[in-house]
Every structure is written in structure tokens, then in C-alpha cells.
Amino acid sequence: MNHRLTRILLAAVIAGGTCLAQTDQPTGASRPLAEIKEDFKPSTLNQPGQQHPQVNSQGYARFRIVAPEAQSVRVSLGGRERGGFSLDKGEDGVWTGVTQKPLDEGFHYYHLAVDGGTFNDPGTLNFYGSTRWESGIEIPAHDQDFYALKDVPHGRVQQILFPSRSTNTSRRAFVYTPPDYDKDLTKRFPVLYLQHGWGEDETAWSNQGRANLIMDNLIAEGKTKPFIIVMIYGMTNEIRFGGLRNFDIGPFQTVLVDELIPYVDANFRTLSDQPHRAMAGLSMGGMETKSITLKNLDKFSHIGLFSGGSISLDDVNNTPDFKEKVELVFVSYGSRELDGGRRGFGGDPKTNADELKQVGINSVFYVSPDTAHEFQSWRRSLHEFAQLLFNEGISQT
Amino acid sequence: MNHRLTRILLAAVIAGGTCLAQTDQPTGASRPLAEIKEDFKPSTLNQPGQQHPQVNSQGYARFRIVAPEAQSVRVSLGGRERGGFSLDKGEDGVWTGVTQKPLDEGFHYYHLAVDGGTFNDPGTLNFYGSTRWESGIEIPAHDQDFYALKDVPHGRVQQILFPSRSTNTSRRAFVYTPPDYDKDLTKRFPVLYLQHGWGEDETAWSNQGRANLIMDNLIAEGKTKPFIIVMIYGMTNEIRFGGLRNFDIGPFQTVLVDELIPYVDANFRTLSDQPHRAMAGLSMGGMETKSITLKNLDKFSHIGLFSGGSISLDDVNNTPDFKEKVELVFVSYGSRELDGGRRGFGGDPKTNADELKQVGINSVFYVSPDTAHEFQSWRRSLHEFAQLLFNEGISQT
């Protein structure tokens, strides 16, 4: 433990009242200083050449911001560090600080408050969340191998611009094609439509979610059938959670079902029948998935809701031909969401999943260990979900 | 002219000493206030929903930064506003200011200095330049139609990850495929390898340069033959300009020529012979282009240097078979670069271009009007260059 870190920790105790009041861990004052290991390394999401922020082997994050004339610099993190904490100004005019406790494994959004203004950490890459490009930090995870960039054949993430008459624009979407897509030009592939959450956009599943690397690795291990993934902006960000009840799925459903799907089927080598089309989404994207798939079971056979509600027996009974048409209902949550009493919308998700199974529906419930309403839950959810998709023995010529 | 703007302008005069000393325009004090039109609109590169920065019809830019406790907020712009200028704090704690003069048409990088720290404007999207993700602002141009997003068939920008043994990584590149690439699976296409400048990376030509939209529009008008564009990181950012003489092209040449080109030819439907392969680059990317193509004329037939030096008669005479193998030498600069005496490396570019033409080489020299060493010069250069590529009457089936 060097003197600088001691100073930081003491300062955090002095300045961090608001934060400490919101946590359930020992405060810095009562925490043995020696417990924080001095093995910090730059976060893997830093900009080229940037040494900060850093993360240690326990998941503590250290921030370093140069702003010599500033009056205050705070780090605003979601998840377990909610409320954020103040950095401490050193004699060199540099602001530094360490999180009050280890962060959960995986990806976290954050930003800075510098003298009352909201800015990003110049050390990190940016990721679209909370309806703004945010700073991102990556905490190494025990299971990070499944989304690591490895020396395996890689698929492509393609930006497409397709005509959307209903919104009078060329809309952007991203399409993941598996590694062998361009090897055998006679082969066609199933498609998963994969939605981001509120505050995010069509870049989230590749950037934060690493969907392409998850797929590349699963395919290399033979654990999933190769399929195409389509990611598009869910048009959800104009509303706030308070206005959710007034959210009209109609305009997005028109873009997705009437414009994007026909474009993808016309421009990619898809298997375009209902048994080979899935939809999934995280958080609000899960709600969109439920809403759109239940109204369009002639188009979708596999449904995934990641931290975004569940499907109840009532839903099944109120949806004609549900049992005949739906091949898979996958529902997942981060364990900390369930610990915190979060159940999404429409009843307890585990109870709902069990009831669906009891009436013969292929219903899978997955809990991501020790993660919250954050991307690590959703990376793991996609990893589980992908292995269950399009496994009905239908020929994929 | 409202009171707020008057206050901003007066403050700019008081605070802007450094900036004013570097400009050749009348100062704010002597500039008639009425000359700035109150028709500001949000820059097209703002983040969703963000109203600032704004640009007016004359090219003045207005910035607005919320940082109520800050001691100083400066905007650091390149080009004609070099040196930057200070914003003025209003009674509402918001910092605002207008540029001292109109900015050149097109794209500009910038960032903020807030209390001595470097941050991005939270209002804008970010673009990789100067070896960091910078804020960007777009000044409407009289010729912006050629890079506008229009209702025409769109090609795709594809992220590929290819194995690079020499650097022991899966390296990222972006590949533009033209709109009809997936329509006729028997058709093959020529390829342009297109390099960014120092401080930038493989994202620059799509994001800042709009290379894909330039191509989509040219193809829709029948003004260019459809071809593939490959954009990869030029490995130039570890050095500073002072170290340019020591820059070793070797490692990048290995990645490009020995690893990327074979991968592209194996995984895309390319015409893989020398007559159908071009290379171009901007600034340092132009220097890389010259260095690599002259050593590999068995692989490249078309050469483009945008604000990145030129090819002299000496170069031609020192390169075996140059006249037989090179189909096009295209050299361009922004007019303000030439006004400022910038000639790049290796002699006066216009003189060199003329001398090449005199000995029968297809040599084209282009000057982008009223632009500097910035992306508007390079968008226009690509627009001109693309129309000249692969026009030798060789069948492209």
C-alpha cells in the first residue's frame, strides 16, 4: 500500500458521504487498507495508449483525471457503486480515486461530473447507453473466455442502410454473418433479431455485448448452429420509464416486421420461414420482443427475454396457436436483479417459466450469477440462448 | 442580435487574446455584430437530441457547455480557429461562445479544455483523430450532396477480423462492398486500399470521410465503376511528426501486403490481379501509399496521394517498369495547404504532376477549393479519384 493510495482512500472517506450512505459494505475507514491489492492494470476498454482507468484482480477500479483547476471531479457509476464517488486532488493537480468496493464482473457504463458538468473520461472508449455516449470500463470475469477475441475464424459485423418508408429514412442496422457465410454461397442461414435496451441503440450488442465474438467462439467450438444476427435501433429512447405505459410498439413493429425483415431476407442468404426466425432483447428490448413476437407468431418461432419480463400462462392462453408455433421461450435475469426483488413486468419470471414447462412448452429460465441489470448478464444470456436456437432438427440446407 | 449573444461576443473579445493574435480576421470588437446571422442549427454530428454545438448559414459555430462550477472552458479547434477560444459563463452557469470567424466547409475535430483538463463536448459524436476520440462538428458545404445520405441503393461497411501472424493478433479492418455485391454472386470487383492519416485509424474513412456514402452516390449516378474499399489501421500513431524520418514502413507493409490482401482476396469476390488493385491515402497514409506501391508495382496499378506528398520524375526513373505498370497517379491538396506553402514531401506536387504527364503517365492533380489539411479535402479527393479508377477498359466480369 503506497502513500498515494492511502491518501486517496482517506479522502474518499471524507468526501464520499453520499456514496457510503448508499452502500451495504464496510466503509473505507473500517476496511483494512491492505485488502486492496496493488495489481491494477489498464481496463481493456481504454483508448489506445491510455493507462487509466485501471482494474485490479479483485475488481476494484482506479480512476485518474487531469483537471488541475477543477473544484470537484466525481465518478458516476451504475450498479453497486450507484451514486458515484468523488476523486481526490493530488499535489500534482491530478484527481484520483478507487471504488468503494469491487465492481461486478463485466461491462459498466460511467461518466464524470467535473465542476457540475457531465463529461466522459478521456481515457476510455465510448458506448451508447442512457441516451448518450458514455465511458465504459471492463472488469475481468471468471468466464470471460466465452466473449474473448480469439484466434478462431471470425464472422463479420456489417453496417447496412435500408429504406424505411414508414419513417422516411435510410435506417441503419448491423448484421452479423457467421464465419463461413461467404465460403459456400449456396448455404442459407436462420436469423435472430436482437434488441438493445432503453437508452442504447443498434451498436450496443456488438460493442458492449460482444455478440459477434460470442458467436465466433460458440461456432468454433461447435456449440451452436451458425446463424445471422440483425441488430437495429428499437426506437425506445424518446420515452422515459415513467412513460412506458404509453409506449406504442406500433411504429417500431412496422420498421422491423414490414421493412427490415423483408430487406434482410432479400439481401442476405437467410432461411426466411418462421421456424428459422428468432427474436430476443434485453430489458426494454425484451418487452419489445414479447410484444412483437406474440402478435407475429407466423414470423417468429424462438423468443428470448433477457432481464425484460417473462411470458405467463395467461399470455400463452391469450395467444392463438402459441404452443404449436413457439419452439423456445428463454427468460433470463442477473441474480442481483432477483435478489433485489426485480421481477420485470408480468409476474414472477421463474414461476412463469415453470408453468410454461408444465404445459409442455420448451421453456428455459437462466440466472446469471452475481450480476445485475448490466451487460454481463446479457452476454451470458446470449451465450446460453444461442446454443438452444434452431435445434429442432429442421434441415438447414 | 439578442443580449445573450452580445454578451458572448464581448466576453470573447476580453478572453480571446491568444486566439485573436493568431488570426488574420478583424477581431470581435471591430466586427459588426450584425454580421453573424441568427440562423444557427444543431450540427449534424450531434448526439441524438442534443441541440449544441450549432452552426449558422455563414459557417460560424456556437458552443454551449454546462459546467456551472468550472473556472474556464475553452474550445480547441484545428484549422482556421487554431489555438481555440474561451467560452463565456452566463448567469445560468452555462458556458457559451461563437467562433471568431466562419469555419471552413466540412468536418472539423475539436475538444474542450475544462479547468485545464481535456474533455470532449458531451453534445457531439466522437471521431478518432490526434490519437484520441475527439469531438466532431460538421459545417454544411456547398457541395455536400455528394456525401449526403440519400435514397439510393446502399453498400455495406463490414467489420472483418483477420489473422495477422506478424503481429500475433486478429486485426480489424473495414470493407466497403458496393450495393450490388450480393445481387450477382458470380460478379467480382476491383479493390481500393484506402489509408487514414496520422492520429486516425481504420474508422476514419467511414465516419469522418463518408467513403461509403460517396461511393453509393457515385454508383447510383453511374459515375464510377463499383469497387470494394478496404480500410485498415496504418500503424502510424506510435510516432510523432518529429520522428517521421525514422518511420519504418516494413511492419505495416507486411500486414497489408502479406496478410490483409490475401485474406481479402480469399474472402471477398475480388478481381485479384494488379490492374484491379489500387491504393490511396491521406496525409501520412499518402506517404505510406507511395512507399508501399512503388515497392510493389506487381500488386498495385492505381495510386492516390491526398495531401500526402507527390511522385516526382526521379521517383519514376528510380522505379523499374513504373510507366508500364502504373495506370494512374492522382495527387491532391486542399487549396489552403498550397496557400500556406505546404507542399508535402518530395517537391512541389503540381510541378511533379505536370512532369509525369509530360512523359506520358496518366497523372492527375486536384485542388480542393477553400479547404485545408482536413477531411473535406479528402472527401472531395476520393470523389474525384473514384471516378478515375479502373477505367482502362479491362473487362470486370
Side-chain angles (χ1 to χ4, degrees):
Chain A
M1 176 67 52
N2 63 34
H3 290 299
R4 187 165 176 187
L5 183 57
T6 309
R7 197 173 64 230
I8 293 163
L9 290 171
L10 291 174
V13 172
I14 295 164
T18 307
C19 175
L20 296 175
Q22 297 184 356
T23 64
D24 55 4
Q25 291 280 103
T27 68
S30 61
R31 180 176 64 191
L33 292 179
E35 84 178 25
I36 299 183
K37 292 184 184 167
E38 257 309 323
D39 57 358
F40 285 88
K41 293 178 184 166
S43 162
T44 55
L45 302 183
N46 286 1
Q47 292 192 28
Q50 294 296 317
Q51 296 301 306
H52 290 82
Q54 299 190 333
V55 182
N56 82 352
S57 60
Q58 301 161 296
Y60 287 95
R62 175 184 285 163
F63 299 87
R64 181 181 188 276
I65 303 297
V66 176
E69 310 302 324
Q71 308 303 299
S72 77
V73 178
R74 287 179 61 82
V75 173
S76 183
L77 267 160
R80 300 178 75 192
E81 287 278 339
R82 64 186 179 281
F85 62 98
S86 291
L87 300 185
D88 175 43
K89 187 176 181 177
E91 290 165 14
D92 54 359
V94 176
W95 298 77
T96 51
V98 175
T99 51
Q100 294 291 318
K101 48 181 150 179
L103 302 179
D104 283 341
E105 294 183 338
F107 174 86
H108 306 279
Y109 297 108
Y110 74 101
H111 58 255
L112 306 175
V114 180
D115 284 346
T118 300
F119 299 98
N120 284 347
D121 187 336
T124 72
L125 300 175
N126 301 308
F127 302 85
Y128 197 71
S130 305
T131 71
R132 67 183 299 275
W133 286 89
E134 291 261 282
S135 300
I137 189 168
E138 183 77 33
I139 309 299
H142 74 283
D143 57 348
Q144 64 191 5
D145 191 64
F146 80 81
Y147 53 86
L149 174 63
K150 293 197 277 193
D151 188 14
V152 298
H154 293 290
R156 301 180 195 154
V157 178
Q158 314 195 12
Q159 175 189 286
I160 63 169
L161 294 166
F162 69 98
S164 166
R165 300 300 166 208
S166 71
T167 58
N168 198 27
T169 54
S170 289
R171 292 193 84 82
R172 182 172 74 167
F174 290 97
V175 178
Y176 167 82
T177 53
D180 52 353
Y181 182 81
D182 282 291
K183 293 294 185 192
D184 176 359
L185 297 183
T186 65
K187 189 172 178 184
R188 306 185 78 87
F189 297 83
V191 186
L192 164 64
Y193 289 81
L194 185 61
Q195 293 304 126
H196 60 83
W198 177 85
E200 298 167 342
D201 70 8
E202 67 273 24
T203 62
W205 268 109
S206 308
N207 288 352
Q208 294 94 304
R210 299 185 170 223
N212 54 322
L213 299 181
I214 291 170
M215 288 299 298
D216 290 345
N217 292 335
L218 280 174
I219 292 168
E221 295 177 70
K223 289 185 176 173
T224 186
K225 290 210 167 66
F227 55 84
I228 292 168
I229 302 180
V230 180
M231 298 157 279
I232 186 178
Y233 174 50
M235 302 167 69
T236 59
N237 295 344
E238 287 71 21
I239 60 161
R240 302 278 158 178
F241 272 116
L244 259 191
R245 284 178 199 162
N246 300 322
F247 180 60
D248 178 8
I249 193 71
F252 175 57
Q253 180 175 276
T254 297
V255 169
L256 180 74
V257 175
D258 299 338
E259 297 173 343
L260 178 59
I261 289 178
Y263 182 90
V264 168
D265 285 335
N267 288 277
F268 290 84
R269 299 196 319 279
T270 65
L271 292 162
S272 60
D273 54 343
Q274 187 262 7
H276 293 101
R277 190 179 298 117
M279 184 173 181
L282 70 90
S283 195
M284 266 210 66
M287 296 179 58
E288 293 185 321
T289 297
K290 176 178 173 180
S291 178
I292 289 175
T293 55
L294 294 198
K295 285 183 209 148
N296 294 276
L297 287 187
D298 57 325
K299 297 194 168 60
F300 299 96
S301 51
H302 299 70
I303 303 170
L305 313 180
F306 309 161
S307 305
S310 58
I311 291 177
S312 69
L313 209 49
D314 276 353
D315 292 325
V316 170
N317 292 332
N318 291 330
T319 307
D321 303 325
F322 187 101
K323 287 193 209 174
E324 292 71 33
K325 289 182 171 173
V326 174
E327 300 283 359
L328 172 66
V329 175
F330 178 94
V331 169
S332 69
Y333 275 89
S335 70
R336 296 198 199 286
E337 299 182 272
L338 302 177
D339 295 345
R342 186 180 190 123
R343 294 293 183 273
F345 304 87
D348 180 75
K350 176 70 164 64
T351 303
N352 281 344
D354 287 345
E355 288 182 0
L356 263 55
K357 192 176 291 183
Q358 282 161 18
V359 299
I361 293 166
N362 183 17
S363 166
V364 174
F365 186 66
Y366 169 73
V367 177
S368 164
D370 301 326
T371 60
H373 198 71
E374 294 193 275
F375 246 104
Q376 191 72 356
S377 298
W378 307 321
R379 291 171 176 167
R380 289 175 179 162
S381 295
L382 176 61
H383 181 250
E384 298 295 321
F385 182 59
Q387 300 179 57
L388 304 173
L389 282 182
F390 312 119
N391 276 343
E392 288 73 38
I394 298 162
S395 165
Q396 294 186 41
T397 54
Chain B
M1 177 66 52
N2 62 33
H3 290 301
R4 188 166 175 186
L5 183 57
T6 309
R7 197 172 65 229
I8 293 163
L9 290 172
L10 291 175
V13 172
I14 296 164
T18 307
C19 174
L20 296 175
Q22 295 185 358
T23 65
D24 52 6
Q25 290 281 103
T27 66
S30 62
R31 181 176 63 192
L33 292 180
E35 86 177 25
I36 299 184
K37 291 185 185 167
E38 257 307 327
D39 57 357
F40 285 88
K41 292 177 185 168
S43 162
T44 56
L45 301 182
N46 286 0
Q47 293 193 27
Q50 294 296 319
Q51 294 301 307
H52 290 80
Q54 299 190 333
V55 183
N56 82 353
S57 59
Q58 300 160 297
Y60 286 96
R62 174 185 287 162
F63 299 87
R64 180 182 189 277
I65 303 296
V66 176
E69 310 302 324
Q71 308 302 298
S72 76
V73 179
R74 286 179 62 82
V75 173
S76 183
L77 267 161
R80 301 178 75 191
E81 288 278 338
R82 64 185 179 279
F85 63 97
S86 291
L87 300 185
D88 174 43
K89 187 176 181 178
E91 290 167 12
D92 54 359
V94 176
W95 297 78
T96 51
V98 176
T99 51
Q100 294 291 316
K101 47 181 152 178
L103 302 178
D104 283 341
E105 294 183 340
F107 174 86
H108 306 279
Y109 296 108
Y110 73 101
H111 59 254
L112 306 175
V114 179
D115 285 346
T118 298
F119 299 97
N120 283 347
D121 186 337
T124 72
L125 299 175
N126 301 308
F127 302 85
Y128 197 71
S130 305
T131 72
R132 68 183 300 274
W133 286 90
E134 290 260 283
S135 301
I137 189 168
E138 183 76 34
I139 309 299
H142 74 283
D143 58 349
Q144 63 191 6
D145 191 63
F146 80 81
Y147 53 85
L149 175 64
K150 294 197 274 193
D151 188 15
V152 298
H154 293 290
R156 300 180 196 155
V157 177
Q158 314 195 12
Q159 175 188 286
I160 63 170
L161 294 166
F162 69 97
S164 166
R165 301 299 166 208
S166 71
T167 58
N168 197 29
T169 53
S170 290
R171 293 192 84 82
R172 183 173 72 167
F174 290 96
V175 179
Y176 167 82
T177 53
D180 51 354
Y181 182 80
D182 282 291
K183 293 293 185 191
D184 176 359
L185 297 183
T186 65
K187 189 170 180 185
R188 304 185 79 87
F189 296 84
V191 185
L192 164 64
Y193 290 82
L194 185 60
Q195 292 306 126
H196 60 84
W198 176 85
E200 299 168 340
D201 69 9
E202 68 272 25
T203 62
W205 267 110
S206 309
N207 288 352
Q208 293 94 303
R210 300 186 169 221
N212 54 323
L213 299 182
I214 292 170
M215 289 298 296
D216 291 345
N217 292 334
L218 280 174
I219 292 168
E221 295 177 70
K223 289 185 176 173
T224 186
K225 290 209 167 69
F227 55 84
I228 292 168
I229 302 180
V230 180
M231 298 157 280
I232 186 179
Y233 174 51
M235 303 168 69
T236 59
N237 295 346
E238 287 72 20
I239 60 161
R240 302 278 158 178
F241 273 116
L244 259 191
R245 284 176 201 164
N246 300 321
F247 180 61
D248 178 8
I249 194 71
F252 175 58
Q253 181 176 277
T254 298
V255 169
L256 180 74
V257 175
D258 299 339
E259 297 173 343
L260 178 60
I261 288 177
Y263 182 89
V264 168
D265 285 335
N267 288 277
F268 290 83
R269 300 195 318 280
T270 64
L271 291 162
S272 61
D273 54 343
Q274 187 261 8
H276 294 100
R277 190 180 296 117
M279 184 172 181
L282 71 91
S283 195
M284 268 210 66
M287 297 178 57
E288 294 185 320
T289 297
K290 177 178 174 179
S291 178
I292 289 176
T293 55
L294 293 197
K295 286 182 209 149
N296 294 276
L297 287 187
D298 57 324
K299 295 193 169 60
F300 299 96
S301 51
H302 298 70
I303 303 171
L305 313 179
F306 309 161
S307 305
S310 56
I311 292 178
S312 69
L313 208 49
D314 278 354
D315 293 324
V316 170
N317 292 331
N318 292 330
T319 307
D321 303 326
F322 187 101
K323 287 192 210 175
E324 293 70 32
K325 290 183 171 172
V326 174
E327 300 283 0
L328 171 68
V329 176
F330 178 95
V331 170
S332 68
Y333 275 89
S335 69
R336 296 197 199 287
E337 299 182 271
L338 301 177
D339 295 345
R342 185 180 190 123
R343 294 291 182 275
F345 305 88
D348 179 74
K350 175 70 163 63
T351 304
N352 282 344
D354 287 343
E355 289 182 0
L356 264 55
K357 192 177 288 185
Q358 281 160 18
V359 299
I361 293 166
N362 183 17
S363 166
V364 174
F365 186 66
Y366 169 74
V367 178
S368 165
D370 302 325
T371 61
H373 198 69
E374 294 193 273
F375 246 105
Q376 191 72 357
S377 298
W378 307 322
R379 291 171 177 168
R380 289 175 179 161
S381 295
L382 176 61
H383 181 250
E384 298 295 319
F385 183 58
Q387 300 178 57
L388 304 173
L389 282 182
F390 312 119
N391 276 342
E392 288 72 39
I394 298 162
S395 166
Q396 294 186 39
T397 48

